[in-house]
Amino acid sequence: MIELSTLTYLFMAMTGVVSLVATYLAILESNLIKAVVLSAIQSTTYVILFYLLMAPDIALVYIPVSVGLYPAAVLFLIKKTERTENDSNEVVASED
Amino acid sequence: MRIKKLLVLGSLILLVLTFSLAFARGALGYYPLPLPRVRMLASWYLYTTLNPQYTNFTAMSPVAVAAIVWDYRGLDTLFETAVFFLAVVGALTLMRGVTLKSVLNNANNKDNNYGLSLISKTAARLLTPLIIAVSASIALHGHLTHGGGFQGGSAAAVAPLLVLVIFSVYFLLSRGISEKPMFMLWTAGLLGIYLTTLAAVFIGLLTGLNAYVFQNQPKFDAPVGLPAQISGTLISGSLFFLNIFEYLAVAGEFTLVFILLSMPEEVVKSFISGETYE
């Protein structure tokens, strides 16, 4: 019989792995909009971790800030620049 | 590109392995999850947080976290509020002189010309009141559950943000949610926090007893305190009021910043370069 705490640890480890995958994809994604969405997925897994680590007050503040306000702020900023990340070092003429 | 991928993957794996090794060797103690047995300091907080027989030490709130945030370690939270205030003032300084009335006048005031599709708009119409209700519940139950002013305020700020993204800034401005009401909400919240911190002092001045700034419940040498209950309902003295005012302040601040952030760039540029004056 598996103990409940072992199951909790396993679930936390899996959530951590999901957050790691989301982080990796967010770093490599050249479309910045998709990168923001991946970053929000990573934050969602962190919310689960905070809750399981018995910090429900942090989880409550982390949901609106990391899934609502922070992606919105970054999206507003992306709207004012370019949508994709350029890997090459070419100087791109701006539209102005 | 391939080297970059390998580098990112390698550094992430290295990070995970380092942390795993550190935790396996007991860097956080041998139990990453909080222990069921609490430490002495924690047990003291848990013992006094809602203990009417222990009048000089209790905060009269069943949630130890809320009691620590606004009572035992209340000054920390007060200065956090001050830091957040300064950050928003800094953001507003960048947008000085930009008035939203001109944005509204320039716009073609047909709401349907802007924003996302009808499906998104209908979903937003349904969700916005729900978000406001949930956030108000988080803030008003801040002294009873794991919520609080900041949690509720940041959740409330998601509602105008949703409207801003889905309907456009013109919709929000034409409904009267512009910078002035948000600024007033914010100021009212901060003023409320200021007055609540001084409430015990005012009561002390009126009754001639000793009292402290930021005092919640009566203390040994200061027998003045805010009421812990109103007609049988627990409000935990100052915690309830501080949560409400923090809620207003945070919601106002976030909404103000997002309204200014979503302004069309040409408008802001014309203001900053000095072409438009009002």
Side-chain angles (χ1 to χ4, degrees):
Chain A
M1 188 67 196
I2 310 170
E3 278 181 47
L4 191 66
S5 65
T6 317
L7 273 179
T8 319
Y9 285 138
L10 273 175
F11 184 67
M12 278 168 65
M14 273 165 56
T15 322
V17 169
V18 172
S19 84
L20 196 71
V21 172
T23 312
Y24 173 71
L25 292 175
I27 292 171
L28 287 185
E29 183 62 59
S30 60
N31 185 341
L32 293 177
I33 309 271
K34 283 186 189 168
V36 170
V37 173
L38 286 166
S39 160
I41 291 172
Q42 178 236 359
S43 306
T44 316
T45 59
Y46 279 13
V47 171
I48 298 170
L49 285 177
F50 279 132
Y51 186 75
L52 289 176
L53 287 169
M54 297 187 191
D57 53 322
I58 304 292
L60 267 177
V61 79
Y62 209 75
I63 294 170
V65 168
S66 69
V67 184
L69 301 175
Y70 168 71
V74 178
L75 285 177
F76 276 127
L77 295 182
I78 290 172
K79 199 179 134 199
K80 292 183 197 295
T81 62
E82 286 163 22
R83 196 178 163 148
T84 52
E85 189 180 28
N86 285 319
D87 262 347
S88 59
N89 289 325
E90 292 168 28
V91 179
V92 183
S94 63
E95 286 172 13
D96 291 335
Chain B
M1 189 63 201
R2 191 156 174 193
I3 297 173
K4 186 188 166 189
K5 265 188 189 175
L6 283 176
L7 270 177
V8 171
L9 196 63
S11 54
L12 279 175
I13 288 173
L14 195 67
L15 182 80
V16 170
L17 286 181
T18 317
F19 271 110
S20 313
L21 186 70
F23 291 151
R25 298 298 290 265
L28 277 186
Y30 285 94
Y31 297 94
L33 272 187
L35 286 173
R37 179 171 50 82
V38 293
R39 280 174 290 180
M40 235 175 85
L41 182 68
S43 71
W44 189 81
Y45 279 131
L46 288 172
Y47 180 62
T48 57
T49 183
L50 179 62
N51 196 341
Q53 294 167 346
Y54 223 40
T55 340
N56 287 336
F57 292 101
T58 183
M60 289 305 286
S61 166
V63 190
V65 174
I68 289 168
V69 162
W70 276 123
D71 188 340
Y72 294 112
R73 308 278 310 165
L75 277 180
D76 285 21
T77 319
L78 189 70
F79 283 110
E80 270 171 36
T81 310
V83 167
F84 192 51
F85 166 77
L86 285 178
V88 175
V89 165
L92 293 183
T93 319
L94 292 175
M95 302 290 255
R96 63 189 178 278
V98 182
T99 50
L100 300 168
K101 211 178 259 176
S102 60
V103 181
L104 201 58
N105 292 341
N106 291 347
N108 182 4
N109 263 330
K110 294 274 190 299
D111 291 335
N112 293 333
N113 292 351
Y114 298 99
L116 305 182
S117 69
L118 186 64
I119 299 171
S120 319
K121 285 186 177 176
T122 313
R125 269 180 222 277
L126 292 172
L127 276 177
T128 312
L130 288 181
I131 294 172
I132 299 279
V134 167
S135 69
S137 142
I138 291 175
L140 290 173
H141 290 136
H143 59 296
L144 300 175
T145 58
H146 306 284
F150 191 84
Q151 283 90 334
S154 50
V158 174
L161 182 65
L162 204 66
V163 176
L164 206 61
V165 172
I166 288 175
F167 286 89
S168 83
V169 66
Y170 305 116
F171 182 88
L172 206 64
L173 292 181
S174 65
R175 296 301 186 278
I177 303 176
S178 65
E179 91 272 43
K180 281 232 173 77
M182 287 303 114
F183 192 75
M184 280 165 70
L185 200 67
W186 173 24
T187 318
L190 290 177
L191 200 67
I193 291 175
Y194 177 69
L195 289 178
T196 313
T197 55
L198 293 179
V201 176
F202 286 137
I203 297 173
L205 283 176
L206 288 176
T207 53
L209 292 165
N210 192 19
Y212 292 112
V213 175
F214 225 106
Q215 189 179 348
N216 180 10
Q217 296 302 313
K219 293 286 172 280
F220 179 66
D221 55 347
V224 180
L226 294 171
Q229 301 180 2
I230 288 183
S231 65
T233 310
L234 191 69
I235 63 159
S236 311
S238 62
L239 301 191
F240 180 70
F241 300 105
L242 287 169
N243 274 331
I244 290 179
F245 292 128
E246 176 86 358
Y247 170 68
L248 296 180
V250 169
E253 279 169 325
F254 271 128
T255 313
L256 188 58
V257 166
F258 276 107
I259 287 175
L260 288 177
L261 204 59
S262 68
M263 302 255 291
E265 211 169 334
E266 314 86 60
V267 180
V268 180
K269 268 185 185 164
S270 75
F271 269 103
I272 288 174
S273 63
E275 285 167 23
T276 318
Y277 282 108
E278 293 217 16

